[in-house]
Amino acid sequence: MAALPAYASTLDRIWHYGYRILCGLIFLFLIGPILVIIPLSFNAEPYFTFSREMLSLDPAGYSLRWYEEFFSSSTWLNAIKNSFLIGIASTVLATVLGTLAALGLSRPQMPFRGLIMSILISPMIVPLIISAAGMFFFYSSVNLSQTYLGVVLAHTALGIPFVVITVTATLSGFDQSLTRAAASLGASPSYSFFKVILPLVMPGVVSGALFAFITSFDEVVVVIFLSGVEQRTLPLQMWAGIREQISPTILAVATILVAMSILLLTVLELLRRRSERLRGISG
Amino acid sequence: MSQAQISVGTADSSGLAGAHSGMTTADGTPLKVSLRRAQRRLRLWALLLVLPLLLFILVSFIVPVFNMALRGVEDPLVHETMPNTAAALGDWDGEGLPAEPVFAALVEDLKAGYEDKSIGKVATRLNYEINGMRSVIMGSARQAKRLDHGPYKDALIDINSAWGEPATWRMLKRQSAPYTLTYLLAALDMGYDDAGNIVLQPESQRVYGPLFVRTLVMSATVTLFCILLGYPVAYLLANLPLRTSNLLMILVLLPFWTSLLVRTTTWIVLLQSQGVLNDLLVWMHIVDDQGRIQMIFNKTGTLIAMTHILLPFMILPLYSVMKTVPPSYVRAARSLGANPLVAFWRVYVPQTVSGIGAGSLLVFILSIGYFITPALVGGQSGQMISNMIAYHMQKSLNWGLAGALGVLLLVLVLVFYAIYNKLIGIDKIKMG
């Protein structure tokens, strides 16, 4: 796959460049749509396409009006506040419960490992509409629908598989002799957990937590069924906006969300490097 | 604690202890017993760590899903609102008309139901089964209160001739059981005929069968697109120097981390008839302004958007498998005279089958249950089974049917989940 050798035939060359162009097009398909909406969110006109002024880079074609609209609308601001509130609460719950369970699951003595694992992962596999409908009936019957607690519990369940998967994956590469070394040096189990195990699996825990957060932050189906007017989240507001009458404010929100995912991606990448360095895989 | 430490990490410690059966620990207990005790304590600890989460998932997730599935087969309404009729019909053999006591029980239930206004729900429910039952029940209930002595049989048939039809009674008997197959049958485009046999609906009235087929076909198509687009990219990423491939990987991971709603919105913006792509086509004179192509709010739009959203789920497992394929086999094939295509197809691709399988199953499982994207960009022709469930949950309020459709969808997904678990192992899912 490296550079083309000097003896390459014409056919080789055509294939080599053709293949790269094909891959370039697929990358464009992946990333293009996301990049297109960023300039469009600065459109001065209420249209979803590039105006003549925008194409000629005339400053008059650009404006911040959709961002102004977003930041001056109490509905949108309330929605983003709710999203963070629910996201953080369910992430904390999912991370604590999920990490504990992952520690148990990766012990060699764990009984019924396969069965328990597939139960814990099931919220990721069951179609969201079924989870949402089921939670709607059940949470209504215990008076939890249309409450923050209900949405948080639902989102915790949906985020847990990600925590369990990432933390067990980190623990599978964990060298058990380190805890034995700690114990032989006189550390109590809880001391060695906080001083030896936790620092080493921390990257896994944090990336699991990020997955859980983004799952909650991006989730809309369960929110459609469970939330009342008070618990409207950002995705629900977007969903309603797209279905009713799509306004360019949505593009401004979308751009903010893309910026957020870039931030998350950076954090994850830094974590991955740290984790590799800690395990001595080379930096 | 020190005895317990001995056994850590030795999977088969009983064998070890058996070989030295005469050994005892410092306090005099045989080593075998002591080890077994330590093992039991470790198992208990492991279970205790998992228990809180397991209970949480059971209560907050598994129970609700079961509850939902149960709605697809339970139908207590008639049983509860018309207890006398339900009990009286229990002895009826389904031949001809039932005897006088059943009619008397019905009159009693109709009177009670009319009094506390619960009969309306029953009438609506039975109307799903036989069209026109609503007015039969409501009319009879209104007039039942002036029937204060028997025989009720002729009086009821007099009020509405439907009570003289055995088919009405067979339906009533079927519906008065607390559990029913009707929803599940309806979800399979089947139903009962007048004689009470299970039959397939006439072809023009079939809705759900074709919808299931469409859901499966669309999911398979999305999976195929993902393989076609994902394979070349994964191959490129796996064979470039690490520094370059890490950079290009961002182009895969950024969409993966971007909100589903954002990605669906972008496709609306790009593909709608006044959107960016159509503007570009008009500007390049490929189509004229009147001939803008309808690329979204139909099946095409759903397929494009879903492929875009699910593509990273194909690329990531493919990439991680391709990273482990040593280049020497393809080189060996080439040196033995295989042309590049043969070497690729017969030597390289077979080594990546596990990646194709993992990615395909994941994409397929996820797309069968897709709801948001088809709802937003699917129009009429791009709707999938999840959207129909949502329709019955929110609009038609036929929750039994929603439950039954949910059961079928769930079974479908769990079958593929089981295959995935068997072939790949659910804990091997790679993320990020």
Side-chain angles (χ1 to χ4, degrees), chain B residues 26-247:
Chain B
D27 56 353
T29 39
L31 186 59
K32 205 174 171 179
V33 176
S34 180
L35 267 174
R36 201 178 302 136
R37 196 179 298 148
Q39 281 287 336
R40 200 177 321 128
R41 195 159 53 221
L42 283 171
R43 277 165 70 100
L44 205 64
W45 259 110
L47 260 184
L48 272 180
L49 284 171
V50 177
L51 207 60
L53 183 63
L54 194 61
L55 285 178
F56 180 83
I57 289 284
L58 283 176
V59 174
S60 72
F61 185 77
I62 304 283
V63 169
V65 167
F66 262 100
N67 199 5
M68 154 91 180
L70 214 55
R71 270 174 200 269
V73 292
E74 68 181 7
D75 193 9
L77 183 68
V78 179
H79 187 77
E80 281 166 9
T81 333
M82 305 176 84
N84 300 309
T85 317
L89 273 174
D91 305 326
W92 181 50
D93 60 0
E95 294 299 321
L97 283 178
E100 174 66 19
V102 178
F103 282 89
L106 177 65
V107 169
E108 198 179 330
D109 283 336
L110 285 176
K111 279 182 189 167
Y114 191 71
E115 197 91 334
D116 64 11
K117 295 194 170 60
S118 60
I119 204 71
K121 276 188 191 162
V122 176
T124 311
R125 174 68 190 87
L126 293 181
N127 204 48
Y128 288 141
E129 302 302 319
I130 298 182
N131 231 334
M133 264 323 268
R134 193 183 156 75
S135 58
V136 173
I137 298 275
M138 293 312 284
S140 309
R142 224 176 353 259
Q143 297 185 41
K145 62 172 184 287
R146 63 178 172 79
L147 299 177
D148 42 14
H149 59 86
Y152 295 107
K153 187 167 180 171
D154 294 328
L156 263 179
I157 296 176
D158 219 32
I159 290 174
N160 200 315
S161 59
W163 299 117
E165 308 274 344
T168 311
W169 287 100
R170 275 195 289 268
M171 182 275 291
L172 199 59
K173 180 178 165 72
R174 219 164 46 224
Q175 290 306 317
S176 59
Y179 292 93
T180 177
L181 278 179
T182 24
Y183 294 128
L184 271 178
L185 290 175
L188 290 165
D189 281 334
M190 291 195 270
Y192 293 99
D193 64 2
D194 287 346
N197 300 315
I198 295 172
V199 289
L200 209 58
Q201 299 278 4
E203 199 155 343
S204 58
Q205 288 175 28
R206 290 180 203 162
V207 181
Y208 305 112
L211 193 59
F212 269 110
V213 172
R214 182 203 283 172
T215 306
L216 290 175
V217 169
M218 282 176 71
S219 306
T221 315
V222 169
T223 312
L224 187 72
F225 284 165
C226 283
I227 297 176
L228 290 180
L229 296 180
Y231 203 89
V233 165
Y235 183 77
L236 183 78
L237 289 173
N239 289 288
L240 280 176
L242 201 60
R243 187 176 294 275
T244 330
S245 75
N246 269 348
L247 269 178

Side-chain angles (χ1 to χ4, degrees), chain B residues 262-277:
Chain B
V262 169
R263 283 184 283 169
T264 307
T265 313
T266 62
W267 283 108
I268 298 177
V269 169
L270 276 176
L271 296 182
Q272 65 183 347
S273 54
Q274 297 299 321
V276 175
L277 210 63

Side-chain angles (χ1 to χ4, degrees), chain A:
Chain A
M1 190 54 57
L4 221 51
Y7 53 80
S9 67
T10 325
L11 197 65
D12 281 344
R13 275 169 208 283
I14 294 176
W15 169 245
H16 180 85
Y17 291 111
Y19 175 64
R20 268 153 207 255
I21 290 172
L22 174 74
C23 285
L25 287 176
I26 299 173
F27 280 125
L28 187 69
F29 171 72
L30 272 169
I31 203 81
I34 295 172
L35 297 184
V36 161
I37 53 160
I38 295 176
L40 278 179
S41 70
F42 296 98
N43 199 338
E45 307 292 328
Y47 303 130
F48 293 100
T49 187
F50 291 96
S51 62
R52 207 167 287 279
E53 291 83 11
M54 291 183 90
L55 290 174
S56 56
L57 292 180
D58 181 353
Y62 295 85
S63 89
L64 287 172
R65 62 186 278 203
W66 308 116
Y67 290 87
E68 266 175 45
E69 199 146 302
F70 174 78
F71 285 108
S72 60
S73 146
S74 63
T75 337
W76 279 111
L77 288 182
N78 194 38
I80 204 165
K81 193 193 82 192
N82 275 338
S83 275
F84 272 104
L85 214 70
I86 292 168
I88 290 170
S90 54
T91 303
V92 170
L93 255 176
T95 310
V96 172
L97 288 173
T99 307
L100 279 181
L103 284 171
L105 282 169
S106 48
R107 293 195 171 198
Q109 294 85 8
M110 183 67 206
F112 315 114
R113 188 169 186 282
L115 177 71
I116 292 178
M117 195 73 177
S118 41
I119 292 176
L120 297 185
I121 306 291
S122 62
M124 196 170 89
I125 298 297
V126 173
L128 270 174
I129 187 75
I130 296 179
S131 319
M135 287 169 168
F136 167 72
F137 289 128
F138 184 73
Y139 286 25
S140 304
S141 67
V142 291
N143 289 327
L144 274 177
S145 75
Q146 313 211 348
T147 64
Y148 280 100
L149 184 62
V151 182
V152 167
L153 290 180
H155 278 183
T156 307
L158 295 180
I160 273 168
F162 298 98
V163 181
V164 172
I165 289 177
T166 48
V167 181
T168 35
T170 319
L171 280 169
S172 73
F174 182 76
D175 188 353
Q176 289 290 341
S177 54
L178 291 175
T179 44
R180 263 172 266 160
S184 78
L185 290 168
S188 69
S190 68
Y191 189 80
S192 86
F193 172 76
F194 283 108
K195 286 287 172 187
V196 179
I197 302 179
L198 202 56
L200 279 169
V201 299
M202 209 50 191
V205 175
V206 175
S207 70
L210 283 179
F211 268 108
F213 180 74
I214 207 78
T215 305
S216 162
F217 199 77
D218 193 23
E219 205 290 320
V220 58
V221 186
V222 169
V223 179
I224 291 175
F225 281 88
L226 276 189
S227 80
V229 187
E230 258 179 81
Q231 293 86 29
R232 287 201 135 206
T233 61
L234 200 58
L236 183 60
Q237 191 66 28
M238 281 184 81
W239 158 265
I242 299 170
R243 274 169 76 96
E244 284 149 23
Q245 199 209 352
I246 178 164
S247 114
T249 318
I250 302 246
L251 297 189
V253 181
T255 306
I256 295 172
L257 288 180
V258 170
M260 241 185 79
S261 36
I262 293 176
L263 193 75
L264 273 173
L265 192 61
T266 318
V267 174
L268 264 182
E269 176 64 19
L270 291 177
L271 276 173
R272 197 181 57 80
R273 291 195 185 167
R274 183 185 139 83
S275 156
E276 284 185 354
R277 205 172 53 237
L278 277 180
R279 292 149 170 240
I281 302 178
S282 88

